[in-house]
Amino acid sequence: NAGVTQTPKFQVLKTGQSMTLQCAQDMNHNSMYWYRQDPGMGLRLIYYSASEGTTDKGEVPNGYNVSRLNKREFSLRLESAAPSQTSVYFCAGGQVYAEAFFGQGTRLTVV
Amino acid sequence: GQQLNQSPQSMFIQEGEDVSMNCTSSSIFNTWLWYKQDPGEGPVLLIALYKAGELTSNGRLTAQFGITRKDSFLNISASIPSDVGIYFCAVRLTGKLIFGQGTTLQVKP
């Protein structure tokens, strides 16, 4: 039982490049989330999906898109990476009115 | 956007000391969660609180859901070096899970 798995764990991009961060959960949770973590800023919600087929913006959605491919998978796409998107990205899964469980994170650097 | 105010921002304590941190908001919430993040890892749930006034313990950790439903407290007793990390409070808001800015705890052996 892996819980929440994120790939890749590390990535370096050049400004303007695109990439997709992958997330999969094996806990049969309805809700999934993408957060970014920056020093002193806590965890800020980028997008979330309350259930399969739905996605909604969080606190900092600009520059990102998401896809809830099925109940297990929720991907985050950067269409044109910018240095301001250098961060640690966390995916999480959970039920709507309960706690969420996090993956190990993706450390992204945009140069 | 919704804001949780977590304090203190950081703490540097001696092993064996007790620790207290809190989280406040101007809004009412029905769920308060406390997470810990070890260096290089994702956050892990410590305690979940679902009822105003509730006091819940998990080993040396005790958390309380404020009676006004606008705040929560986390206490750690007899700290040890492995308590080092970032502690986050979090609340549920219409399907979203919103986090505070975190309290960074350092423990000196």
Side-chain angles (χ1 to χ4, degrees):
Chain A
N1 185 351
V4 178
T5 303
Q6 292 182 235
T7 55
K9 287 186 168 47
F10 300 93
Q11 183 71 50
V12 179
L13 289 178
K14 292 183 179 179
T15 297
Q17 285 186 316
S18 62
M19 81 160 295
T20 300
L21 280 62
Q22 306 287 352
C23 176
Q25 54 103 358
D26 61 5
M27 299 177 293
N28 202 36
H29 287 157
N30 289 320
S31 298
M32 297 187 75
Y33 313 85
W34 276 106
Y35 292 88
R36 61 176 289 174
Q37 184 176 24
D38 304 291
M41 302 292 287
L43 291 157
R44 292 184 292 170
L45 183 63
I46 304 171
Y47 270 93
Y48 68 104
S49 171
S51 61
E52 185 179 353
T54 68
T55 60
D56 287 286
K57 295 179 180 179
E59 301 164 274
V60 288
N62 291 345
Y64 305 95
N65 285 300
V66 290
S67 295
R68 183 75 183 267
L69 304 171
N70 46 56
K71 192 171 186 179
R72 289 188 66 248
E73 298 172 286
F74 189 39
S75 62
L76 179 71
R77 183 161 178 84
L78 286 71
E79 290 291 350
S80 179
S84 61
Q85 293 179 304
T86 293
S87 188
V88 181
Y89 292 85
F90 287 99
C91 177
Q95 300 298 1
V96 176
Y97 295 108
E99 59 270 24
F101 299 88
F102 283 79
Q104 297 276 60
T106 295
R107 283 145 186 82
L108 175 67
T109 301
V110 182
V111 297
Chain B
Q2 189 60 50
Q3 189 169 17
L4 298 178
N5 299 310
Q6 206 171 334
S7 66
Q9 280 191 316
S10 62
M11 304 179 75
F12 191 91
I13 62 169
Q14 196 78 28
E15 181 178 0
E17 290 183 351
D18 296 342
V19 174
S20 292
M21 60 189 78
N22 68 77
C23 198
T24 62
S25 175
S26 57
S27 299
I28 291 173
F29 295 103
N30 293 321
T31 301
W32 284 88
L33 307 171
W34 284 94
Y35 284 81
K36 182 195 177 193
Q37 184 180 30
D38 289 327
E41 303 288 329
V44 174
L45 182 72
L46 296 174
I47 293 178
L49 302 162
Y50 298 105
K51 186 177 178 181
E54 180 181 358
L55 186 71
T56 298
S57 293
N58 179 5
R60 293 178 296 106
L61 276 61
T62 302
Q64 184 161 23
F65 190 149
I67 197 69
T68 64
R69 292 194 284 158
K70 294 182 178 181
D71 56 13
S72 181
F73 304 86
L74 177 69
N75 296 316
I76 305 172
S77 62
S79 59
I80 59 178
S82 63
D83 289 334
V84 165
I86 305 176
Y87 292 80
F88 292 102
C89 61
V91 294
R92 282 282 177 188
L93 180 64
T94 57
K96 295 181 284 189
L97 189 59
I98 305 298
F99 284 77
Q101 293 180 321
T103 294
T104 300
L105 179 64
Q106 295 177 287
V107 180
K108 184 177 180 181

